[in-house]
């Protein structure tokens, strides 16, 4: 397979102030402070499609929080490989899972220089958390990075998390990439994926296409809204946990829905699968 980048994010932004970074743009969407003008410009450009565009980031993050609670609480997982951790926010993976599984280990991977500079100290909070810089779209690089196999025991179940990352991968071999990760995991492991969705419905497909057009032509340069079928393929032959791949907001919501989903909330999906 060619080593040519299949996503702008595989070449870290570094000191290039003309490029927005995914981590900083996401931080801007979540109302954080670790972002620059170029990142807020992406938010402004995408917000022209729909005013509630920040729902995309909140639906994604809230799904991650509920997924972590399920993995630690119900599935009893004590090892986490969180690919594309993002900048630290209110509730990070290790805080959620260590509340339920105090001995849980969390290995964060990201390649963004700001995440490295500001996030590392906050995410590496105790000796059960580790932060490593690697390209999450190169499973070999992640799995063989120094320290990974020492920190996590690959003979025991691990939750592999690719939350809000794969829509930034522009290649069409994302299923192969997840398969390579899954092959390295022990039976009883889980895979979590959330992804921008083209719902292919008359009411929302147009929104998804417009969002994709804005994201991919913004200074960030990526953000694909793939169909349910394309995202489902990423789970390969792993067994989907109920209710399967659904809208992030419909994956075991915290309570009954009393207001309809926004058009933006209809455009992001998530799911969890188990390796048997
Ligand atoms: N996973 C978190 C969540 O769901 O809340 C953060 C998602 S954020 C949208 C995507 C993260 O993936 C960013 O922090 C970005 O730096 C990281 N990322 C994107 N492409 C990457 C790559 N090729 N290698 C490593 N990290 C990458």
């Amino acid at each position: 397979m060619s080593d040519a980048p299949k996503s702008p994010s595989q070449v870290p932004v570094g000191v290039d102030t003309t490029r927005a970074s995914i981590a900083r743009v996401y931080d801007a969407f979540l109302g954080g402070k670790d972002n620059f003008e170029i990142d807020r410009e992406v938010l402004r450009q995408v917000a022209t499609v729909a005013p509630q565009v920040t729902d995309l980031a909140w639906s994604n993050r809230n799904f991650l929080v509920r997924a972590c609670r399920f993995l630690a609480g119900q599935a009893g997982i004590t090892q986490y490989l969180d690919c594309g951790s993002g900048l630290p926010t209110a509730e990070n993976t290790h805080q959620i899972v260590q509340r339920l599984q105090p001995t849980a280990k969390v290995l964060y991977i990201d390649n963004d220089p700001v995440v490295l500079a500001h996030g590392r100290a906050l995410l590496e909070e105790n000796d059960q958390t580790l932060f490593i810089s690697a390209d999450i779209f190169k499973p070999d690089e992640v799995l063989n990075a120094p320290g990974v196999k020492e920190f996590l025991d690959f003979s025991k179940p691990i939750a592999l998390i690719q939350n809000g990352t794969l829509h930034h991968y522009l290649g069409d071999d994302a299923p192969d990439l997840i398969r390579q990760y899954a092959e390295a995991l022990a039976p009883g492991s889980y895979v979590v994926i959330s992804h921008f969705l083209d719902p292919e419905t008359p009411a929302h497909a147009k929104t998804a296409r417009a969002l994709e057009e804005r994201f991919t032509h913004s200074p960030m340069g990526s953000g694909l809204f793939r169909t349910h079928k394309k995202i489902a393929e990423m789970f390969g032959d792993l067994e989907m946990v109920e209710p399967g791949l659904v809208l992030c907001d419909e994956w075991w919501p915290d309570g009954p829905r009393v207001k309809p989903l926004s058009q933006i909330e209809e455009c992001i999906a998530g799911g969890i699968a188990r390796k048997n």
Side-chain angles (χ1 to χ4, degrees):
M1 202 196 302
S2 148
D3 255 9
K6 290 186 180 166
S7 159
S9 74
Q10 292 185 278
V11 183
V13 173
V15 290
D16 183 354
T17 53
T18 64
R19 276 179 65 198
S21 100
I22 296 168
R24 295 189 320 243
V25 169
Y26 187 60
D27 180 69
F29 270 64
L30 291 175
K33 294 191 178 64
D34 292 314
N35 50 77
F36 304 149
E37 183 51 30
I38 190 83
D39 309 305
R40 295 188 287 276
E41 177 56 21
V42 176
L43 173 52
R44 281 193 292 272
Q45 287 181 17
V46 183
T48 58
V49 173
Q52 328 88 317
V53 74
T54 54
D55 286 355
L56 261 188
W58 285 111
S59 293
N60 182 66
R61 192 73 190 185
N62 291 335
F63 165 73
L64 175 66
V65 171
R66 297 194 305 280
C68 286
R69 271 196 241 132
F70 162 76
L71 291 165
Q74 294 287 328
I77 296 291
T78 56
Q79 303 194 95
Y80 295 80
L81 180 52
D82 190 351
C83 296
S85 57
L87 284 154
T89 88
E91 284 264 87
N92 301 294
T93 300
H94 71 281
Q95 290 156 331
I96 306 162
V97 301
Q98 287 177 355
R99 211 175 290 138
L100 293 156
Q101 294 280 354
T103 60
K105 287 180 148 189
V106 180
L107 173 52
Y108 290 110
I109 313 277
D110 210 292
N111 70 348
D112 187 282
V114 179
V115 178
L116 281 172
H118 299 298
R120 200 168 222 164
L122 288 165
L123 294 175
E124 276 191 343
E125 210 170 48
N126 49 47
D127 58 9
Q128 290 154 227
T129 51
L130 183 65
F131 188 106
I132 285 180
S133 177
D135 184 348
I136 57 170
F137 301 143
K138 292 191 175 154
D140 265 358
E141 183 179 319
V142 170
L143 296 168
N144 297 312
V148 169
K149 297 257 166 75
E150 289 73 26
F151 186 73
L152 296 179
D153 179 353
F154 279 76
S155 70
K156 306 233 166 74
I158 292 175
L160 173 87
I161 304 176
Q162 284 274 2
N163 209 63
T165 53
L166 289 161
H167 41 239
H168 297 294
Y169 184 72
L170 309 182
D172 52 18
D173 56 342
D176 187 47
L177 200 144
I178 294 297
R179 187 188 46 74
Q180 288 177 55
Y181 275 113
E183 273 174 10
L185 303 176
S189 294
Y190 288 83
V191 171
V192 179
I193 296 174
S194 69
H195 197 295
F196 294 160
L197 171 76
D198 175 352
E200 299 179 284
T201 56
H204 303 296
K206 240 170 91 179
T207 306
R209 298 271 59 91
L211 288 168
E212 179 177 283
E213 204 273 330
R214 290 299 148 91
F215 270 120
T216 53
H217 292 95
S218 76
M220 191 170 74
S222 62
L224 295 185
F225 286 66
R226 292 188 168 101
T227 60
H228 186 279
K229 180 169 180 285
K230 287 275 174 214
I231 304 168
E233 280 169 9
M234 295 180 192
F235 289 99
D237 55 10
L238 301 170
E239 185 197 339
M240 293 306 297
V241 171
E242 275 183 60
L245 174 66
V246 293
L247 293 178
C248 280
D249 283 274
E250 287 181 347
W251 197 91
W252 298 107
D254 278 331
R257 185 164 307 293
V258 291
K259 60 182 173 63
L261 294 175
S262 73
Q263 62 183 136
I264 297 295
E265 289 165 337
E266 300 276 353
C267 294
I268 183 157
I272 299 188
R274 185 175 194 276
K275 177 172 176 177
N276 292 320

